[in-house]
Amino acid sequence: MTSFAPGARSRRQTLLAVVLCAGVTAALTACSGEDPDKGTNGVGKLTAAQIEKRTRAAADAADAVRLTGKLVSKGGTYTLNMQLSAGGGTGSVTTGKNTFALLRVGDELFLKADAGFWTDGKGDDGSTQAAGKLQGKYVKVPEDDPTYQQLRGFTEKKTLLDGMLTLHGKVNKGERDTVGGVRTVQIMGGQGEGGTLHVSLKGTPYPLRVARGGGGGSVSLADWGEDFALEAPDEGDTVDYGGQLPKSSG
């Protein structure tokens, strides 16, 4: 009859436990430690492609969203604080030296800016007088104005989300993280060079943060589905520019 010393028996039992634990882990969870997806919406268990499909569907279906952060596009840097819905948007955009408010209700687009925007950097009497009249007032942007489509783009939920949430290259799953105290899972284009999305592991799998590839800026996405007031400004707060809007001086 073979006899084992207590030390050898203990080592054998430990090794057996490790082997059994590894086998069970493959089918269930680790013998010690907690399932990383416990208490989540379960999307962390999906493939990167499946997560991308789920989060895009959630974003498209949401009635509203708030975007805050920076976008870099065509050599320009834009700081956004916009609330968007299918029917329009409201908020502010900062570019160069200028910060201006945008409000769109349906196809009606309004712009409000300070005197610096309206002087167009010329400083002549005409532009100074116009600036005094227009600063702090909402100006309705004519639909045939060259800047209408550019400015409207900042108020369009679909346009902005399509540009921000598209990942370039093969989609891969990244690390677990938190955004605003909410647990997230990352999905990336390539290794991040094609953009990175932080997808909520709580409730609906909304994208909570996007880092665009190629230094295209980073934007947080919040208040998904939360309604907000969207009304045309009062007549007393609105003036007619009477012609094409000036190009920004900043």
Side-chain angles (χ1 to χ4, degrees):
M1 180 175 181
T2 304
S3 176
F4 292 95
R9 185 182 302 112
S10 176
R11 287 192 296 273
R12 183 180 179 186
Q13 290 172 340
T14 299
L15 178 61
L16 178 61
V18 170
V19 172
L20 289 174
C21 180
V24 172
T25 299
L28 298 172
T29 59
C31 293
S32 61
E34 189 173 310
D35 178 0
D37 292 297
K38 182 179 181 180
T40 73
N41 55 20
V43 298
K45 298 179 180 181
L46 304 178
T47 66
Q50 290 171 327
I51 297 172
E52 182 183 33
K53 184 177 180 179
R54 289 277 188 94
T55 194
R56 286 302 303 266
D60 290 343
D63 292 331
V65 64
R66 178 189 290 274
L67 307 181
T68 55
K70 293 184 182 295
L71 288 179
V72 181
S73 178
K74 297 180 181 179
T77 299
Y78 305 92
T79 301
L80 306 182
N81 184 359
M82 297 294 301
Q83 287 179 285
L84 308 172
S85 71
T90 182
S92 66
V93 178
T94 300
T95 177
K97 302 175 183 177
N98 296 306
T99 296
F100 50 89
L102 289 174
L103 170 62
R104 182 175 63 84
V105 182
D107 290 328
E108 291 189 316
L109 178 64
F110 301 89
L111 166 69
K112 181 167 66 174
D114 61 17
F117 178 91
W118 296 115
T119 57
D120 193 23
K122 295 178 181 178
D124 55 45
D125 290 342
S127 64
T128 300
Q129 290 176 3
K133 176 184 177 183
L134 300 173
Q135 67 172 332
K137 297 286 188 178
Y138 280 103
V139 176
K140 186 175 181 179
V141 182
E143 292 188 37
D144 59 355
D145 187 283
T147 62
Y148 177 86
Q149 289 299 329
Q150 178 186 3
L151 294 175
R152 177 174 173 139
F154 289 116
T155 69
E156 291 189 328
K157 173 178 175 281
K158 185 178 187 308
T159 297
L160 285 177
L161 292 186
D162 282 350
M164 287 192 299
L165 302 184
T166 298
L167 298 174
H168 301 281
K170 182 181 178 181
V171 181
N172 296 295
K173 191 186 296 187
E175 301 294 329
R176 303 298 179 96
D177 204 345
T178 60
V179 174
V182 178
R183 294 161 65 186
T184 63
V185 61
Q186 297 177 7
I187 55 173
M188 309 175 295
Q191 298 303 311
E193 69 276 6
T196 300
L197 301 182
H198 293 249
V199 178
S200 176
L201 289 174
K202 178 181 178 181
T204 305
Y206 292 123
L208 301 184
R209 182 184 297 156
V210 54
R212 300 178 72 208
S218 177
V219 175
S220 295
L221 304 96
D223 299 344
W224 285 102
E226 294 188 14
D227 194 21
F228 61 94
L230 194 60
E231 298 179 352
D234 293 336
E235 188 173 325
D237 292 329
T238 308
V239 294
D240 182 5
Y241 184 75
Q244 284 189 358
L245 301 183
K247 295 181 179 179
S248 169
S249 59

